[in-house]
Amino acid sequence: MPSHSSAARGAWRSRTGFLLAAAGSAVGLGNIWRFPYITGENGGGAFVFVYLGCVALLGLPILIAEVLLGRATQRSAVPAFHRLAGERSPWAAIGLLGVAASVLILSFYSVVAGWALHYAQLSARGALTGLSADEVAATFGAVAADPWLSAFWMLVFMGLTTWVVVRGVHRGLELCSKALMPVLLALLLVLLVRAASLPGWGPGISFVFGLHASDLTANGILEALGHAFFTLSVGVGGLLAYGSYLDRDTDVPQSGLAIAGLDTLIALLACAVLFPILFTHGQEPSQGPGLIFVNLPIAFAGLPGGRFLATVFFLLLVLAALTSTISLLEVATAYLVDARGWTRRRAAVLSAACIALLGIPSALSGGPGLFGERLRAALGGSWLDLAADVSSNWMVPIGGLGIALFAGWRWNELARRAEFGRGSSLARWYRLWLGLLRWLVPAAVVLVFLHAVGVV
Ligand code: TRP
């Protein structure tokens, strides 16, 4: 029989602990790796503006709903839906989809996080210093083409993640986030101070914050929406589990604002650091996923103190990724603990092992051989790209939509209103929140899907 006492499940010891863990989940590779390169590809300015709107009007309401569902039921996703909608309810499928999505996300995410770890030690050892632009590019090419190197660092990263999750909610997730998030912010500020002293500061800042609408396409708008979900970590039940470890009187709407605010701040700071450095060294902003693994090291190589700064940057990336991977592993772990009655250690270790196995094709996908060349030819893209596309562009928005529909339409009105207002100074925003969940979120997600399949 699963044990549901909070002693067996775990709980946060402080509100700050919860806030930093949730913000740590949100702040990750999405903020520092992906957001800058999609901003670069979409021409900056107007794209950033649309993204901010998507975070505030679509992502934030779902984030609040997800945490509230967890806090209300004190259960993670699948049992939470059972509790509110009945044992046989089809709504529980949203929870299962979330478990699958988090597993798939973590399988490729840990490969990219592994690259960050590899680059952190390369920079610290000075292996990237004094290289020409071609040599830096060749280094990244070599990482992708030496799949066992990617697999090795991915496994190291999964090991770290598992260690934190096994330690539990308070001693693992909470303490880890409380220790790492301030360091992360400090590292970012070190880089910001340096970026502000460079000749590329002005052009870099105007690229990110200036409005040049002409560059924005319909695809860019949809990309902004998809990324808003991904960066806030909504839609897979991770925040629902985090909410389930909360006591009943935490101000959830206000916490949601703080989490989304911090996440946005860090994404913008990452851009304010990267673009001035890139522009100072004549690098193009629209380079895609290689932006921080190729163009950034090229820029660092030409900067006094570049070795130190590069090390700081990749360390920052590692820390940001780790507080996110623990939240991703927590989804499957919490499911196995709550719904199947497993111990946390067994749940975390076995999930991590399966995820690492699933990550191998991603690690090998840039190289030669069966999972590399041959699969790329068959799929028309690498396995890593495919896993990223299916999970972030389809599973996450479907999960977010499911949570919005459930919380907006299926959840009992009295219970929902009471839960939103409990302990909250923002209870008067209830109607607005509900309206966004019921109408704007579904409309926006459906529009994205229609566009993706080519209808609009
Ligand atoms: N939000 C994280 C990032 O931006 C990634 C992440 C962690 C995530 N947990 C998630 C994404 C759950 C979707 C769902 O890097």
Side-chain angles (χ1 to χ4, degrees):
M1 199 48 215
S3 160
H4 288 313
S5 74
S6 77
R9 299 186 72 248
W12 308 112
R13 289 275 172 86
S14 67
R15 175 161 183 243
T16 325
F18 159 70
L19 275 180
L20 289 180
S25 163
V27 174
L29 297 174
N31 302 59
I32 301 171
W33 169 61
R34 188 154 191 268
F35 182 64
Y37 89 69
I38 59 177
T39 299
E41 285 177 334
N42 286 292
F47 174 80
V48 174
F49 188 74
V50 173
Y51 164 79
L52 294 178
C54 291
V55 166
L57 298 177
L58 306 167
L60 179 60
I62 305 180
L63 191 161
I64 294 174
E66 204 177 316
V67 176
L68 284 176
L69 287 171
R71 188 185 61 171
T73 55
Q74 301 280 302
R75 297 284 180 280
S76 58
V78 176
F81 288 107
H82 284 150
R83 253 213 165 178
L84 292 171
E87 280 305 317
R88 302 221 172 287
S89 168
W91 287 101
I94 302 169
L96 286 175
L97 177 75
V99 175
S102 64
V103 164
L104 192 60
I105 294 175
L106 187 50
S107 79
F108 77 86
Y109 199 93
S110 56
V111 174
V112 181
W115 293 345
L117 209 50
H118 179 54
Y119 268 70
Q121 60 87 29
L122 282 182
S123 330
R125 289 195 292 122
L128 296 173
T129 341
L131 298 186
S132 69
D134 288 344
E135 286 166 332
V136 174
T139 306
F140 187 60
V143 173
D146 177 355
W148 295 110
L149 191 73
S150 298
F152 170 76
W153 288 108
M154 178 271 276
L155 290 174
V156 173
F157 209 90
M158 281 303 292
L160 265 176
T161 305
T162 314
W163 176 67
V164 178
V165 173
V166 165
R167 287 175 60 90
V169 176
H170 169 64
R171 285 176 58 232
L173 313 187
E174 181 168 358
L175 289 186
C176 174
S177 312
K178 265 183 146 168
L180 299 188
M181 290 304 284
V183 179
L184 183 144
L185 211 57
L187 296 181
L188 205 51
L189 292 179
V190 170
L191 293 169
L192 189 69
V193 169
R194 188 66 180 101
S197 68
L198 296 174
W201 175 254
I205 292 301
S206 102
F207 178 77
V208 182
F209 297 102
L211 282 183
H212 7 260
S214 55
D215 296 331
L216 191 65
T217 60
N219 270 327
I221 296 178
L222 301 176
E223 207 166 358
L225 186 143
H227 187 66
F229 283 20
F230 187 84
T231 191
L232 293 179
S233 302
V234 298
V236 306
L239 289 169
L240 201 150
Y242 277 25
S244 77
Y245 306 132
L246 271 178
D247 67 51
R248 302 253 177 200
D249 309 302
T250 313
D251 187 338
V252 171
Q254 204 197 53
S255 306
L257 268 180
I259 295 162
L262 204 59
D263 184 71
T264 306
L265 177 75
I266 290 186
L268 295 179
L269 281 180
C271 286
V273 163
L274 284 171
F275 290 110
I277 295 179
L278 292 170
F279 286 172
T280 301
H281 296 275
Q283 294 295 313
E284 285 297 319
S286 55
Q287 298 296 317
L291 190 67
I292 64 169
F293 291 110
V294 177
N295 305 83
L296 190 68
I298 293 177
F300 277 136
L303 202 64
R307 175 173 167 184
F308 169 73
L309 294 169
T311 312
V312 168
F313 178 82
F314 286 110
L315 199 60
L316 167 81
L317 200 59
V318 168
L319 301 186
L322 183 62
T323 49
S324 298
T325 52
I326 58 181
S327 80
L328 286 163
L329 183 57
E330 181 64 21
V331 179
T333 305
Y335 166 69
L336 293 170
V337 170
D338 282 350
R340 311 254 162 225
W342 290 23
T343 64
R344 169 170 278 272
R345 170 182 295 272
R346 178 164 178 234
V349 171
L350 284 181
S351 317
C354 294
I355 293 166
L357 216 59
L358 190 65
I360 298 278
S362 276
L364 305 189
S365 67
L370 178 61
F371 287 119
E373 228 156 32
R374 303 237 318 257
L375 205 59
R376 280 202 302 281
L379 297 173
S382 77
W383 174 265
L384 193 155
D385 294 338
L386 187 71
D389 179 49
V390 171
S391 58
S392 5
N393 297 338
W394 294 94
M395 295 168 92
V396 166
I398 293 175
L401 175 65
I403 288 169
L405 292 177
F406 182 84
W409 295 100
R410 174 68 175 74
W411 201 0
N412 172 281
E413 161 69 15
L414 280 179
R416 177 176 55 213
R417 183 190 284 272
E419 206 56 54
F420 184 88
R422 178 169 296 133
S424 180
S425 55
L426 300 174
R428 63 183 178 287
W429 295 99
Y430 175 72
R431 285 263 134 223
L432 175 64
W433 170 71
L434 187 60
L436 292 172
L437 273 188
R438 284 189 159 179
W439 303 106
L440 197 65
V441 172
V445 175
V446 168
L447 197 68
V448 169
F449 287 149
L450 289 180
H451 183 81
V453 297
V455 177
V456 290

